[in-house]
Amino acid sequence: MKQVWIIVIFSYVAFVGITSGKGVDLTFPKGFLIGTATSSYQVEGAWNVSGRGESVWDWFTKTKPERIADGSNGDTTSNSYYKYKEDVKYIKSLGLDYYRFSISWSRILPTGYTNQINKDGIQYYKNLINELLENGIEPIVTLYHWDHPQFLEEMGGWTNEIIVDLFVDYARIMFKALGDKVQRWVTINEPTLICRYGYYVNSLQIAPGKDLGDVGVYLCGHNILKAHAKTYHMYDKEFRATQNGQLSIALQCMGYVAADGNDVDTAFQFDCGWMAHPIYKGDYPEIMKSRVALVSKAQGYSRSRLPRFSKKWISYIKGTWDYFAFNHYTPVYVTRDPDERKGIYNSDTGLINGILPSWEASAGIGFYVLPSAFGDLLRKLKDEYDNPPVWITENGCPDHGEIEDYNRIRYHYLYLTELLKAVKRDGCNVKAYTIWSIIDLFEWNSGFTVKFGIVSVDFDDPSTPRSPKLSTYWWKNVIKSRKLLPIPTNSSMMLKKEFSSCHARSGPFS
Ligand code: NOJ
């Protein structure tokens, strides 16, 4: 009997240890990469200089300022167009392995068409890449992070199939111009988000801000998948032999939680699986096809609102990846919609998205902290897609811009503990982790009301000076030791001292 109790107590202690992060080896595996990211509209500013054309975000923020929490826009934002060298200094000082940034499509092709190529725009990205390489930082380039030329939007944007070939044309120009120095590309960032909130009016409307009912959203997704696949094949045919880079698409994958495992899967398939299934397995997930067909019929449509791929397209899209890239921020709690029992369909998923009251909120609307959901997601990706090499292309925590950003450090610490558990205990093939973001930036609908940077930007000062936060130092030490370090507390004198002496200076710390 005594032995049984000893075993029970031992197992409990071991369980608590594992789930709380204790007992996990907090050292990063050999070869594991840590980098950081931004996107063009969120940091560049310089919206109308050197031949840059209008993007959907210029148009949206100016015509619908009420959609942005503080009525602001990205006209100047963090001014990285002018201050990119300072950003690179910070990235280098921190010891980060890579910098993922995006290209402003309309800075290269002001109208989206190739008859007018803006050489100054290309030069800007060449300069940035050279600066990174000279400082030993790998550039990772995202071709599209939501800011397509407004001219293309006038023609229907992502709902008009013509954009597929125009995207490929644009990608070709970038591969030609930068591909000799870039080894890793992301074609499109978080496609489901642009489609879901860009072409459907609801509380979180983003550019281009069109109300295309529940039809535009899937048209957009369909064309994005085609554009991604065609770009991948074009790279294979025209550039891979000489440039030998890696391509993928950065998906949005939330951490779904539900009382019933089937509901977790449905929610996952409609979110991450919407794009991942066609690329990693072939065609849309079954549950999406059957549910959208069912709801479309109940709504009186003569065919499903989810377009169908021909057999040719299914096999053409399948396999267009070299690594699995995804962004992750928050958990979502899903429950079945009780209306469906009465034959009322309120959504294609049949689920209601919510949260659990016990979840910790952050400063950002819709951003909650639940590290275990991240760990579960990593294990789900491993099982679902045959354990591909995974790059977490974004993860981070919004706050109100506190310089002593303990919450941000805590968030990274807890999420990385889950990551290390998933890698070391469960064999998940995670290769890299990207901090969002290196500097404070324009946060879409939230404008400048929330901050994601591990380096602060003073947006009230026209020279947008950067200065370190507490997380700058924490990250620097983590990267130096290649190990997760404890979350500093108010009584952590060492960090406080280091922090205050460096904060007095402006510009990158040494
Ligand atoms: C993901 C997006 O890619 C990025 O642009 C945004 O700032 C973060 N989510 C935080 O909302």
Side-chain angles (χ1 to χ4, degrees):
M1 192 60 190
K2 202 173 152 198
Q3 271 169 331
V4 173
W5 274 112
I6 290 172
I7 291 169
V8 170
I9 291 168
F10 180 78
S11 314
Y12 175 75
V13 170
F15 172 76
V16 170
I18 292 282
T19 50
S20 66
K22 280 186 205 120
V24 182
D25 171 8
L26 297 179
T27 321
F28 291 104
K30 209 164 169 264
F32 188 86
L33 300 174
I34 301 175
T36 188
T38 60
S39 87
S40 44
Y41 188 76
Q42 292 181 276
V43 299
E44 282 179 9
W47 75 288
N48 59 354
V49 307
S50 298
R52 179 185 177 279
E54 188 185 23
S55 82
V56 283
W57 272 93
D58 299 314
W59 181 89
F60 183 69
T61 50
K62 308 257 165 78
T63 47
K64 302 191 180 193
E66 71 283 359
R67 286 288 180 178
I68 313 297
D70 52 6
S72 64
N73 56 51
D75 279 5
T76 51
T77 182
S78 328
N79 255 321
S80 288
Y81 185 79
Y82 300 108
K83 303 190 78 164
Y84 70 92
K85 287 192 180 172
E86 202 178 322
D87 298 343
V88 173
K89 267 189 201 150
Y90 268 103
I91 297 167
K92 182 172 184 183
S93 317
L94 275 148
L96 291 158
D97 296 305
Y98 61 88
Y99 178 40
R100 172 184 173 229
F101 62 91
S102 81
I103 294 179
S104 154
W105 190 345
S106 64
R107 200 180 283 292
I108 305 297
L109 302 176
T111 62
Y113 278 83
T114 54
N115 61 323
Q116 203 189 329
I117 301 176
N118 182 22
K119 294 220 166 57
D120 283 357
I122 294 184
Q123 194 53 49
Y124 166 67
Y125 296 106
K126 281 190 171 170
N127 294 345
L128 171 57
I129 288 171
N130 287 339
E131 189 70 15
L132 288 166
L133 291 173
E134 276 160 25
N135 285 284
I137 302 154
E138 189 194 343
I140 297 188
V141 180
T142 303
L143 290 170
Y144 173 70
H145 199 122
W146 307 356
D147 49 350
H148 54 283
Q150 176 61 19
F151 187 72
L152 296 186
E153 191 50 47
E154 309 282 329
M155 296 188 296
W158 285 109
T159 63
N160 181 349
E161 197 171 347
I162 199 173
I163 198 169
V164 173
D165 286 331
L166 295 174
F167 184 79
V168 178
D169 290 347
Y170 157 60
R172 182 180 289 107
I173 292 171
M174 298 326 297
F175 294 151
K176 248 188 213 157
L178 312 177
D180 58 333
K181 295 188 172 164
V182 176
Q183 283 296 290
R184 194 168 294 273
W185 298 88
V186 171
T187 53
I188 292 162
N189 179 72
E190 289 195 4
T192 51
L193 211 98
I194 333 157
C195 296
R196 204 175 282 137
Y197 301 111
Y199 294 94
Y200 187 73
V201 169
N202 52 25
S203 54
L204 182 91
Q205 190 191 17
I206 62 171
K210 284 189 173 161
D211 184 6
L212 300 179
D214 39 18
V215 176
V217 56
Y218 296 126
L219 271 179
C220 166
H222 210 65
N223 289 328
I224 283 194
L225 278 163
K226 288 183 171 179
H228 162 78
K230 273 198 153 186
T231 303
Y232 186 91
H233 287 291
M234 180 269 286
Y235 186 83
D236 261 1
K237 219 169 127 203
E238 300 174 31
F239 298 96
R240 196 178 289 278
T242 50
Q243 299 187 352
N244 199 26
Q246 303 246 304
L247 260 74
S248 198
I249 183 168
L251 305 179
Q252 182 202 33
C253 302
M254 308 226 231
Y256 288 98
V257 181
D260 180 334
N262 290 328
D263 295 346
V264 171
D265 189 59
T266 304
F268 170 86
Q269 298 298 352
F270 267 88
D271 176 38
C272 203
W274 176 7
M275 296 286 137
H277 204 283
I279 294 172
Y280 294 84
K281 297 178 106 167
D283 205 3
Y284 290 119
E286 279 309 317
I287 186 78
M288 264 191 97
K289 290 197 284 186
S290 59
R291 284 278 326 175
V292 182
L294 172 89
V295 180
S296 302
K297 194 167 171 208
Q299 290 169 329
Y301 287 96
S302 51
R303 67 175 67 87
S304 174
R305 286 177 283 102
L306 182 69
R308 278 165 64 156
F309 283 122
S310 65
K311 281 209 174 107
K312 229 169 133 187
W313 269 108
I314 292 173
S315 65
Y316 186 78
I317 294 171
K318 187 177 167 189
T320 53
W321 60 277
D322 299 318
Y323 59 104
F324 192 107
F326 79 98
N327 302 344
H328 177 81
Y329 288 89
T330 191
V332 178
Y333 190 77
V334 290
T335 44
R336 293 257 171 101
D337 184 349
D339 278 357
E340 290 215 351
R341 270 187 250 124
K342 296 179 243 150
I344 303 166
Y345 295 97
N346 298 310
S347 68
D348 288 337
T349 58
L351 299 168
I352 298 173
N353 286 0
I355 53 148
L356 284 181
S358 58
W359 291 355
E360 186 184 322
S362 73
I365 297 168
F367 288 85
Y368 291 84
V369 185
L370 190 70
S372 60
F374 179 50
D376 290 343
L377 173 65
L378 290 171
R379 287 179 281 277
K380 169 100 180 150
L381 296 176
K382 173 185 174 225
D383 296 344
E384 191 77 17
Y385 305 113
D386 205 12
N387 210 10
V390 163
W391 280 60
I392 292 143
T393 33
E394 284 182 33
N395 180 241
C397 173
D399 66 9
H400 291 301
E402 294 83 346
I403 291 294
E404 301 199 14
D405 51 348
Y406 293 102
N407 283 346
R408 172 165 299 105
I409 295 173
R410 193 164 154 269
Y411 180 97
H412 284 296
Y413 176 88
L414 295 174
Y415 275 66
L416 278 163
T417 303
E418 279 297 324
L419 183 153
L420 289 171
K421 234 191 279 176
V423 171
K424 297 193 169 182
R425 188 190 64 189
D426 307 322
C428 295
N429 191 12
V430 186
K431 301 286 189 201
Y433 176 88
T434 315
I435 306 161
W436 186 269
S437 172
I438 181 65
I439 49 171
D440 289 335
L441 40 73
F442 174 77
E443 174 53 22
W444 310 116
N445 293 72
S446 301
F448 298 103
T449 60
V450 296
K451 306 284 174 2
F452 276 91
I454 57 168
V455 172
S456 163
V457 175
D458 182 354
F459 296 102
D460 295 328
D461 181 332
S463 66
T464 53
R466 279 92 165 116
S467 54
K469 299 183 185 181
L470 190 57
S471 60
T472 323
Y473 297 106
W474 183 78
W475 265 115
K476 185 179 169 153
N477 289 328
V478 166
I479 292 164
K480 200 154 96 195
S481 56
R482 291 276 149 186
K483 190 174 185 304
L484 260 187
L485 300 173
I487 307 164
T489 60
N490 284 317
S491 58
S492 174
M493 291 317 290
M494 197 273 287
L495 267 165
K496 276 228 152 195
K497 210 169 128 232
E498 185 177 10
F499 168 70
S500 51
S501 63
C502 294
H503 187 53
R505 276 182 259 141
S506 69
F509 58 102
S510 55

